[in-house]
Amino acid sequence: MTDVADPGATPSVGLGVVHLFFRNQPLADRDAVLAAFKESEAAGDQAISVAMLGHKADLAVMALGNDLWRLRRLQTALCLAGLELIDSYVSMTEVSEYAAGVPDEMKNARLYPELPPEGKTAWCFYPMSKKRNSDGNWFTLPFDQRKELMYEHGTSGRKFAGRLVQLITASTGVDDYEWGVTLFAQRPDDLKEVVYTMRFDEASAVYAEFGAFYTGMVASPVETLDAIGLL
Ligand code: 76R
């Protein structure tokens, strides 16, 4: 990571994260898009490219770095390359308050993940919040009860060990939901199965609210641009 000058653009711990969703455009400039990825990588950031399925987007770029100005520069470069930015999500890496007791190594993997995980190219992203309604309010539950529910959540999640990596990034106060959920899996049906399985955990069944789901395959920028027809 390079040194950072503006504290207002630098999380005191962890990394800034931006998920950018683009539609390919007839006049987009392939070389300029590839140069934007290179510049981001050279600056020490991670920018993961994903070839998306369906109408919601053609290309997703998930970028992580400790200087939000650099993330902004990547966004600018991709827009100037002629891609149309059609959706986005802003968040930051964090260690969940329910994981405060885990070993430092696990905390570091949450705060400073190295992405993408090898062999896990099936990808999805969606934002989620915990309910704050009269029929269920996560935030009025005592901490011990929330911790117990998250323990149940973690236990069902660990059944997918080896098949799937979750990256939860926090967005309370900076985007419309409370977290961004990014999943990297071996197979597309792992994505479906983990989300379905967790629906039965009380923390999700009673308290979770979801935004739009996005799905695609992680690949190198070159492969991704080939796949979306930006030649
Ligand atoms: O960090 C850890 O691995 C400790 C256990 C754990 C925490 C604290 C954990 C494990 N999660 C945690 C926090 Mn998760 N997770 C989701 C979703 O579809 C849904 O119902 C929700 C979307 C999935 C699929 C998933 C998978 N998790 C969180 C939080 C933050 C809550 C907070 O801080 O208040 C959210 C929003 C969330 C949502 N979770 C796991 C998984 C999986 C697969 C695991 C096991 C991970 C592993 O063992 O590596």
Side-chain angles (χ1 to χ4, degrees), residues 94-99 102 106 110 126 128-130 138-139 146 150-151 153-162 164-169 178-181 183 191 194-201 203-205 208 210 213:
E94 72 165 12
V95 174
S96 164
E97 60 189 297
Y98 313 107
V102 304
M106 256 175 94
R110 305 287 175 273
Y126 51 97
M128 72 172 281
S129 293
K130 292 280 170 65
W138 176 257
F139 295 91
R146 283 181 277 130
M150 288 313 291
Y151 185 79
H153 167 92
T155 305
S156 59
R158 275 190 293 280
K159 293 188 187 120
F160 292 83
L164 189 123
V165 167
Q166 73 149 356
L167 183 67
I168 300 298
T169 52
E178 289 157 3
W179 295 277
V181 180
L183 302 177
L191 302 171
V194 74
V195 176
Y196 182 73
T197 302
M198 295 203 152
R199 287 286 201 269
F200 294 93
D201 297 339
S204 295
F210 299 92
F213 284 64

Side-chain angles (χ1 to χ4, degrees), residues 76-198:
T76 302
L78 292 168
C79 290
L80 287 176
L83 293 169
E84 185 194 1
L85 183 59
I86 49 174
D87 203 355
S88 66
Y89 205 76
V90 177
S91 57
M92 286 167 244
T93 62
E94 72 165 12
V95 174
S96 164
E97 60 189 297
Y98 313 107
V102 304
D104 282 352
E105 199 186 317
M106 256 175 94
K107 283 188 189 152
N108 273 333
R110 305 287 175 273
L111 289 171
Y112 305 100
E114 282 180 30
L115 299 174
E118 214 183 306
K120 296 188 177 60
T121 52
W123 186 92
C124 80
F125 169 80
Y126 51 97
M128 72 172 281
S129 293
K130 292 280 170 65
K131 255 187 215 159
R132 288 180 292 128
N133 300 334
S134 50
D135 62 330
N137 189 335
W138 176 257
F139 295 91
T140 56
L141 298 178
F143 177 77
D144 285 350
Q145 197 177 339
R146 283 181 277 130
K147 194 168 176 183
E148 216 168 281
L149 294 177
M150 288 313 291
Y151 185 79
E152 181 193 28
H153 167 92
T155 305
S156 59
R158 275 190 293 280
K159 293 188 187 120
F160 292 83
R163 284 161 64 187
L164 189 123
V165 167
Q166 73 149 356
L167 183 67
I168 300 298
T169 52
S171 50
T172 311
V174 297
D175 213 326
D176 298 342
Y177 287 76
E178 289 157 3
W179 295 277
V181 180
T182 309
L183 302 177
F184 297 84
Q186 285 183 339
R187 303 272 182 176
D189 45 322
D190 294 331
L191 302 171
K192 174 174 68 74
E193 199 182 325
V194 74
V195 176
Y196 182 73
T197 302
M198 295 203 152

